[in-house]
Amino acid sequence: MSPYALKLLTNHALPRGDVTAGYMSVDTERLRPVMETIAGRLTALCQPAPPAVPAAPVVPIVEPNIIPFARAKKRAAAR
């Protein structure tokens, strides 16, 4: 990746004393491969990482046949 292409894409000024900078073609089609490379890398970095450990299966909570303590106490007192 050319340092000149990076400077152009990041809106930096090209060095005035550099002779090569004067011959650079500022064409969108010339910068397209560099833009696609940068966009591809950013897209890859923004993807969520796969989980390190597979998630445990979800077990539904089924309400057990338990009598609440207050009701159980009333039943015992009524006997």
Side-chain angles (χ1 to χ4, degrees), residues 9-77:
L9 289 173
T10 54
N11 209 21
H12 284 268
L14 295 175
R16 291 181 183 254
D18 192 355
V19 177
T20 307
Y23 291 102
M24 290 297 298
S25 169
V26 185
D27 183 21
T28 307
E29 291 305 315
R30 183 179 169 108
L31 295 175
R32 186 175 306 278
V34 179
M35 289 187 286
E36 288 175 352
T37 303
I38 293 169
R41 180 67 178 143
L42 286 173
T43 302
L45 290 173
C46 292
Q47 297 299 319
V53 178
V58 177
V59 179
I61 298 174
V62 179
E63 191 172 320
N65 191 11
I66 298 176
I67 302 170
F69 182 71
R71 266 197 263 158
K73 193 173 179 183
K74 285 180 185 177
R75 283 187 185 176

